[in-house]
Amino acid sequence: MKPTLQAVADAVGVSRSTVSNAYSRPDQLSSALRERILDAARQLGYPGPNPTARSLRRGFVGSIGVLFTSQLSYAFTDPFAVRFLAGVGEAAERHGTSMLLVPLSRAELDARRAVENAAVDGFCVYCVADEEWALDVIRARGLPFVSTAARDDAGPDERFVGIDERAAARGVAAHVAGLGHRQVALLADSVLPDAPAGPLTLPGVDQVPHPTTHGRLAGFADAFAEVGVDWAELNLVNAQGNSRQAAAAAVAGLFDRPAPPTAVLACSDVLALGVLDALAGRPSGDRPPVSVTGFDDVPEAAAAGLTTVRQPAEEKGRIAAQLLLDPPVDAAAGHVLLPTALVVRTSTGPVPRS
C-alpha cells in the first residue's frame, strides 16, 4: 500500500494537520520538528500531499488553460501562436501561475473531456472556431474565460481582447483594389469543416463559421464591393491548415487558368508565404507577377517583403491573461480592442499591363 499522511503522523507522533503544515505552512513549525517529519516521510516513501486535492481545498489551482483548435505542435510552430503564448506566459509569471495548453483537435467527446478535466482556474480561448460546446462546458464549471474572437452572443460580463478583423482586412484589400486589381483570390484555411484544398464555392461569406476567418473574408469582400466586384466574382480558395505547405497545395493550378488572379489576399502571413513559395517554385519563365498580401506581420513577413496587416500578438496574449488573472471591476474594461496597421512592402504592386 502507498504510504499516507496518517502513516507519517503516526511515525512521528503528531497530528495529520502538523504533517500537512510541514509541507504547506512550514513557518508554523520549528525547524527541528519539520525536519523530523520530512525525514520520516522520506523513510516511508511518502511523496507529500496530493497537489490536486490541495488545490481543491484552497479553491484555486494556480494554472490557466489556453484552448485552441489545432494539434499541440501548432502552439510551438505557428509564429503568431508562439508570440501570443509568450505574452500569456509573461503575464502568468507575474501572477505566479502556470499555463496548460488544451488543444481541441481530437474527437469532440475526447476534447470535451479535456476541457471538463483540465485543472485550471480559467481559460484563454485562442483560435477556437465554432466550438460553442467548449464555452458551455467552461460556463458549466463556473470558470471565467477570455476570448480572442468577438462573438455576437457574448454577454456583457464576458471578457474579450482582439482586433477589428473586418476593418483591418478591409484596409489591406482596399490597398490591393487601389492598385487596380479586380481578378483576385481570397485564401483562408479551414473555411468549412472538412472542405477540400483548392477553389471553394460559397453563396456568401456568412456561411463561414470561424469568427476570425469570417471577419477577414468579409473585410476583403467589403473593399472589392466598393469597386464593383461582387462576392460571386471573387475566387475563394481553401487551405487544409494554416501552413506554408497547405497554402502552396491550395493554390496549385490557380495560376494556370485562362484568367488567373492578379492578386492573392491571404488570411494569415503563413498562408501568404506559402503562396510566395508556390510562385517561386514555378519555372522562371512561367512566374506571373502576382501581388500577395498576408495578415499578422510575423517576423518572416518583413524578410519576404510581404505586404500585411500588423497586429500586436504578444500584447494580445498579455492582456488576455491579465483580464483572466486580474479582472477589471468595470465590465466594459473587459472588452479590449487593439490597434492594427497596414504595412506595405514589395509583394504588392499595380496590375501588370497586358
Side-chain angles (χ1 to χ4, degrees):
M1 294 179 62
K2 293 182 179 180
T4 63
L5 184 144
Q6 185 62 59
V8 177
D10 293 341
V12 182
V14 295
S15 67
R16 286 168 53 91
S17 61
T18 300
V19 175
S20 178
N21 285 341
Y23 290 93
S24 59
R25 303 175 64 188
D27 58 305
Q28 301 295 307
L29 309 178
S30 68
S31 299
L33 178 56
R34 182 169 186 266
E35 188 54 40
R36 280 178 54 205
I37 292 171
L38 297 180
D39 185 58
R42 283 191 291 268
Q43 292 182 33
L44 291 170
Y46 176 65
N50 184 290
T52 302
R54 186 190 305 171
S55 298
L56 291 174
R57 287 193 296 271
R58 291 184 308 180
F60 69 95
V61 177
S63 180
I64 58 175
V66 180
L67 291 186
F68 58 98
T69 312
S70 192
Q71 297 178 341
L72 187 59
S73 58
Y74 182 86
F76 303 97
T77 56
D78 180 77
F80 189 85
V82 168
R83 292 167 60 202
F84 174 84
L85 290 174
V88 174
E90 181 182 320
E93 283 182 345
R94 288 203 305 267
H95 286 79
T97 191
S98 60
M99 181 169 59
L100 176 68
L101 302 182
V102 186
L104 302 183
S105 58
R106 297 164 290 182
E108 182 177 329
L109 180 59
D110 292 337
R112 183 183 293 273
R113 287 172 178 163
V115 179
E116 290 173 340
N117 297 326
V120 296
D121 298 308
F123 288 93
C124 289
V125 182
Y126 168 73
C127 199
V128 172
D130 58 342
E131 282 82 356
E132 183 64 27
W133 60 263
L135 301 184
D136 289 340
V137 171
I138 296 171
R139 294 187 187 101
R141 292 186 58 184
L143 294 178
F145 66 88
V146 176
S147 175
T148 59
R151 298 179 3 268
D152 294 336
D153 62 342
D157 295 329
E158 293 184 358
R159 284 159 260 170
F160 156 78
V161 55
I163 62 173
D164 188 332
E165 306 280 0
R166 189 165 188 162
R170 187 186 304 118
V172 69
H175 162 71
V176 173
L179 293 171
H181 295 275
R182 298 295 182 268
Q183 187 70 24
V184 299
L186 312 181
L187 175 62
D189 71 292
S190 305
V191 176
L192 293 177
D194 303 319
L200 184 66
T201 300
L202 284 182
V205 71
D206 288 341
Q207 304 295 312
V208 180
H210 194 296
T212 299
T213 303
H214 173 270
R216 294 180 188 182
L217 290 176
F220 295 158
D222 289 344
F224 283 101
E226 291 179 2
V227 295
V229 180
D230 296 330
W231 172 259
E233 300 175 83
L234 300 171
N235 297 289
L236 180 61
V237 182
N238 179 68
Q240 291 185 313
N242 186 42
S243 71
R244 293 172 75 145
Q245 296 81 1
V251 299
L254 192 64
F255 307 111
D256 296 318
R257 293 179 168 188
T262 62
V264 178
L265 288 78
C267 284
S268 76
D269 285 346
V270 172
L271 293 177
L273 293 170
V275 176
L276 294 178
D277 291 342
L279 291 169
R282 297 173 68 91
S284 58
D286 191 27
R287 295 178 187 171
V290 179
S291 287
V292 180
T293 67
F295 204 108
D296 292 332
D297 199 25
V298 301
E300 294 88 340
L306 181 65
T307 294
T308 187
V309 173
R310 177 178 295 158
Q311 65 164 316
E314 291 186 27
E315 184 179 0
K316 182 183 280 190
R318 280 195 299 269
I319 293 175
Q322 184 69 29
L323 289 175
L324 190 63
L325 295 165
D326 188 17
V329 176
D330 182 5
H335 298 170
V336 180
L337 207 60
L338 298 173
T340 61
L342 173 63
V343 181
V344 177
R345 298 191 178 105
T346 57
S347 71
T348 49
V351 175
R353 296 179 179 178
S354 55

